[in-house]
Amino acid sequence: MSRACLQTLGVLSLWWFVASAMAQSTEYVMYKDPEQPVAARVKDLLSRMTLEEKIGQMTQIDRTVATYDFMRTYSIGSVLSGGGSTPLPEASAEDWVNMINDYQNGSLSSRLGIPMIYGIDAVHGHNNVYNATIFPHNIGLGATRDPDLVKKIGAATALEVRATGIPYVFAPCIAVCRDPRWGRCYESYSENEEIVRQMTEIIPGLQGDIPSDSRKGVPYVGGKNKVAACAKHFVGDGGTTKGINENNTVVDMHGLLSIHMPAYTDAIIKGVSTVMVSYSSWNGEKMHANRDLVTGFLKDTLNFKGFVISDWQGIDRITSPPHANYTYSVEAGILAGIDMVMVPFNFTEFIDDLTNLVKEEVIPMDRIDDAVERILFVKFTMGLFESPMADLSLVSELGSQAHRELAREAVRKTLVLLKNGKNETDPLLPLPKKPKKILVAGSHADNLGYQCGGWTINWQGFSGNKYTRGTTILSAIKSTVDLSTEVVYQETPGKDFVKYTDFDYAIVVVGEHPYAETAGDSMTLTMADPGPTTITNVCEAVKCVVIVVSGRPLMIEPYISSIDALVAAWLPGTEGQGVADVLFGDYGFNGKLPRTWFKSVDQLPMNFGDSHYDPLFPFDFGLKTESVPGLVARATSFGTDWRPHPLMVTACLAISLYLVGYRWRAPKVKLIW
């Protein structure tokens, strides 16, 4: 063949290669077209995926093991932050956004460019993140009986979560806690299923209101200011024997459906995107392996179309001890109907085991396709394919003043007044704002970590005031009383000190130390030492109000006779000013007990309607007070040590007098800096 012919063939080959490449680059790809229906996009993308890519989408890994290369190579479907897992100590919103975008770039560089979804526990605000607004825990919100407030909290939480680039939260917990000995009882709105159902309004707060023409069970997320929610933990987690975490819930089908299931029905109607399975068992069968309930009831009967996610190492715990037969656990969990597995660390073991189970036809391909269809459906619905990258447009929402004021309002409404005066004719509350000298005592008066509880900054919470920003109850008291009032703070005052000091009244703040999950299981439900001693030393010597900061009712009956006024403050979060707002009468007490306050732990479990019902304070109990005119302007929520400067008060008073028609000549003052 002549050289000319060879050259011609070479040119033609090159032209064919370039033309083919151009044709491929301009090929219409349905799943990338936002104008197409979501179902059509899901079907198109699924048809292009390999088994390995499908299993990658079913895998959720912790951020500590995620890398750009792993995201790209394995087509990992989701990354999460476990409790307290952050990019840096005191990480800013920008730090979070940059970290998440690094992982997302890895996902987008994979063969099909399927974006990952980043998830985090945001169970009372964006609780892992420094400077975020920390709202009251669910038990307190249950005391408000205010679904509209809870919806607003969901919307505020969504904005703060999105400010850090995260589109998915593992909330709300819609457990019905039937025994306060359970270490997760504060994550439950109430012992009463109807109150829990009402509080599912947080879901449209987080996700947005579903369109009027939306089909039942179809997930909905309304744009970049909203997040995908997760109803948890399916199902019966709040009914375990003796309240032992991850234990067995012994109840018949009628009891399960009438107490523990109704909130899931409401959550699905409201378009919840995902459901997390419980560690617990139902009548001896692990929920992570319960096909009848996960597939048969949740997916088929309730028509849930979102995806089902495991809890942290949830499938490992199908066996006892955990991870004893991981291949079996993978098989049982996936066949039960779990779509995404929170592995979270050794993800190659999960991927390899599931791949082999499919290739050996132990797990059918249609089960894998069902799981991946559900995951992709949520991602398309959220708009992740159109807007996969996080940006800094919402960073000002993190810990914003508007959200702190909302949290402060929530704190006011969570407070339940259990006792007010040693007789009905001599109430102690509301407290006067202009006494000469008052005592503030107790381990929880000046401890932001204690008043926030577990799941705050760290999984198990923290102690002290330096790990995030907020207002302690002590700071709130100081900023509320008159400037002439002497506020004496002693965490553990002696009996003689109280007796021989001329205090007008005392405020004692005691309760539980922070905990989460199993670490909070308690068979005694006693308050943390030296709480009882502090109550005795103070309340036997001076008029006192005791504020209990706790995630559940505690043993209080032995001390009740010495206490003049008793307030259940639950776990109020960062905005302690809300406590002072009500204590001093700017607002009235209106909260009602979301659960029964027992006399003795020997009575437990004891819920309203039980035959042996004999509480110290019954479910739905709560004394009311009216607001009174304030002597001082209401304080604004600031940092832990903020108090208005006298010159600020003087200036505000001068302006107020001027506005109402008075002329006032300011005294000459010399400023010394």
Side-chain angles (χ1 to χ4, degrees), residues 231-262:
K232 66 182 187 183
H233 308 87
F234 187 83
V235 61
D237 52 338
T240 59
T241 302
K242 296 184 179 179
I244 298 171
N245 192 41
E246 305 180 21
N247 203 256
N248 189 27
T249 296
V250 180
V251 65
D252 61 18
M253 178 60 85
H254 173 75
L256 189 75
L257 296 183
S258 62
I259 296 172
H260 301 285
M261 194 68 77

Side-chain angles (χ1 to χ4, degrees), residues 377-395:
F377 191 95
V378 170
K379 290 184 177 184
F380 278 118
T381 300
M382 295 176 65
L384 267 183
F385 281 80
E386 284 65 61
S387 302
M389 304 302 291
D391 59 43
L392 303 177
S393 61
L394 294 174
V395 292

